[in-house]
Amino acid sequence: MTSPKHAFGSYGIVALLFFSSAIVSADLSAEFYDETCPDALDIIEDAVRAAVSKESRMGASLLRLHFHDCFVNGCDGSVLLDGATGEKNAVPNKNSLRGFELVDDIKAQLEKACAKVVSCADILAVAARDSVVALGGPTWDVELGRRDGTTTSQDTANSDLPAPTSDLGALTKAFSIKGLTQKDMVALSGAHTIGQARCVNFRGRLYNETAPSLDATLATSLKPRCPSTDGTGDDNTSPLDPSTSYVFDNFYYKNLLRNKGLLHSDQQLFSGGGSADAQTTAYASGMGAGFFDDFRDAMVKMGGIGVLTGSSGQVRVNCRKAN
């Protein structure tokens, strides 16, 4: 998924920014727009399905937008704000995040249907769910009622999003600070069963790692598109799950058992003795082993991080700027 230093992104979250999703989600409701904008979910779903049908990769891009939004000051739509010092230009996101134009289109449709009602943050949450479903994954009831933030922070994005070079301990800590368990982290990492990673993010694993090294056959196939020289082919992408790149399934975990984790942070979920090995192995054994259930639960939990509700924040008319 991304940039020289970041897979989901990078770490170092300030404890004061943490809000328990159990507390916050009490202010959200799956029926939030039933009366004020009854067609909202259909409008979002139709747009997402059409976009994913046209370009399968868009599903992963929309899912990633929601993750990168929630991990930086909570799920407040701030990742969508334009500005030189905003999250869009942070190391994990610059020239990497995609889907902004689609969100603009969805927002425009919603403004015509029910002006100043549906927040940009809720659009991201629903679009993430609909993207997963469109690619064969599980569905869940998205709790709604988030309000949009009015500020965006490049520095916070640089510090708070997990890096592709992260070891298991660093990954677990970063998610824990956000109120997510290691179980949640392993389940959410399954999002890498779809999407792409840039060469600059897996070059180190491809050429330098030996414990465990990347599967030799996979490594050989990657090297033509990802030369060892820095700056050469940095933006060339390869599937995070080479087996079923555009299907939301459990092959991501199957690949880890065969040392086919493209990113260092991916392979950390199965290292032959690590604390995440058992969960990864269980998910690899079949979708019925709990992956889909755990993923949907973790997505709802993540979607409640630091949300703005009630009179906090605003409903932005244009997702790229504050009202």
Side-chain angles (χ1 to χ4, degrees), residues 262-306:
L262 186 60
L263 303 175
H264 174 85
S265 55
D266 288 329
Q267 196 58 56
Q268 286 293 295
L269 304 190
F270 185 82
S271 58
S275 59
D277 282 10
Q279 186 179 349
T280 298
T281 301
Y283 289 166
S285 69
M287 258 80 81
F291 167 45
F292 275 14
D293 286 341
D294 291 349
F295 181 82
R296 66 164 64 93
D297 290 345
M299 284 295 294
V300 172
K301 191 174 178 181
M302 185 189 78
I305 295 174

Side-chain angles (χ1 to χ4, degrees), residues 48 51 55 57-65 79-80 88 96-107 123-124 127 319-320:
V48 170
E55 182 201 4
R57 185 185 173 193
M58 184 55 67
S61 298
L62 292 172
L63 178 56
R64 185 166 176 253
L65 268 180
V79 72
L80 302 172
K88 287 182 177 180
S96 175
L97 284 184
R98 306 169 71 247
F100 298 113
E101 293 78 11
L102 177 57
V103 174
D104 291 339
D105 290 342
I106 293 172
K107 180 60 174 173
I123 291 173
L124 291 182
C319 289
R320 292 177 180 265

Side-chain angles (χ1 to χ4, degrees), residues 15-313:
L16 290 175
L17 295 177
F18 164 71
F19 295 87
S20 167
S21 63
I23 296 173
V24 174
S25 62
D27 296 324
L28 303 178
S29 167
E31 294 80 34
F32 189 82
Y33 296 114
D34 282 4
E35 294 186 6
T36 56
C37 194
D39 294 330
L41 299 188
D42 288 339
I43 289 171
I44 299 172
E45 180 184 10
D46 289 347
V48 170
R49 284 193 172 276
V52 173
S53 177
K54 183 177 180 181
E55 182 201 4
S56 297
R57 185 185 173 193
M58 184 55 67
S61 298
L62 292 172
L63 178 56
R64 185 166 176 253
L65 268 180
H66 181 44
F67 181 95
H68 280 228
D69 183 38
C70 290
F71 255 60
V72 182
N73 295 336
C75 311
D76 65 348
S78 59
V79 72
L80 302 172
L81 289 168
D82 286 339
T85 60
E87 294 167 39
K88 287 182 177 180
N89 289 310
V91 174
N93 299 334
K94 189 174 183 179
N95 300 322
S96 175
L97 284 184
R98 306 169 71 247
F100 298 113
E101 293 78 11
L102 177 57
V103 174
D104 291 339
D105 290 342
I106 293 172
K107 180 60 174 173
Q109 292 184 54
L110 289 168
E111 285 300 305
K112 288 181 180 179
C114 38
K116 301 180 182 180
V117 172
V118 182
S119 68
C120 301
D122 275 350
I123 291 173
L124 291 182
V126 176
R129 186 272 309 275
D130 292 345
S131 293
V132 170
V133 174
L135 294 174
T139 189
W140 60 91
D141 289 333
V142 179
E143 296 184 338
L144 302 165
R146 298 167 189 79
R147 304 266 288 178
D148 296 322
T150 57
T151 60
T152 178
S153 173
Q154 184 177 138
D155 289 342
T156 306
N158 281 330
S159 66
D160 287 11
L161 287 161
T165 55
S166 298
D167 291 334
L168 182 61
L171 287 169
T172 302
K173 180 179 179 180
F175 278 71
S176 176
I177 293 172
K178 292 299 186 185
L180 300 168
T181 66
Q182 185 182 82
K183 178 181 178 181
D184 296 327
M185 182 272 290
V186 176
L188 289 170
S189 295
H192 282 190
T193 192
I194 54 177
Q196 307 271 324
R198 295 165 64 211
C199 162
V200 70
N201 284 325
F202 61 82
R203 179 181 283 121
R205 171 145 171 74
L206 179 58
Y207 291 99
N208 302 327
E209 283 192 20
T210 58
S213 59
L214 189 63
D215 172 80
T217 301
L218 177 58
T220 297
S221 70
L222 292 171
K223 287 179 178 179
R225 286 187 54 76
C226 189
S228 60
T229 305
D230 288 345
T232 304
D234 284 2
D235 292 330
N236 290 343
T237 61
S238 293
L240 287 157
D241 170 10
S243 300
T244 53
S245 305
Y246 298 115
V247 180
F248 196 97
D249 56 22
N250 68 330
F251 268 81
Y252 167 77
Y253 300 102
K254 293 177 181 289
N255 292 334
L256 298 183
L257 269 57
R258 303 173 182 129
N259 291 335
K260 291 184 177 182
L262 186 60
L263 303 175
H264 174 85
S265 55
D266 288 329
Q267 196 58 56
Q268 286 293 295
L269 304 190
F270 185 82
S271 58
S275 59
D277 282 10
Q279 186 179 349
T280 298
T281 301
Y283 289 166
S285 69
M287 258 80 81
F291 167 45
F292 275 14
D293 286 341
D294 291 349
F295 181 82
R296 66 164 64 93
D297 290 345
M299 284 295 294
V300 172
K301 191 174 178 181
M302 185 189 78
I305 295 174
V307 298
L308 302 171
T309 60
S311 60
S312 299

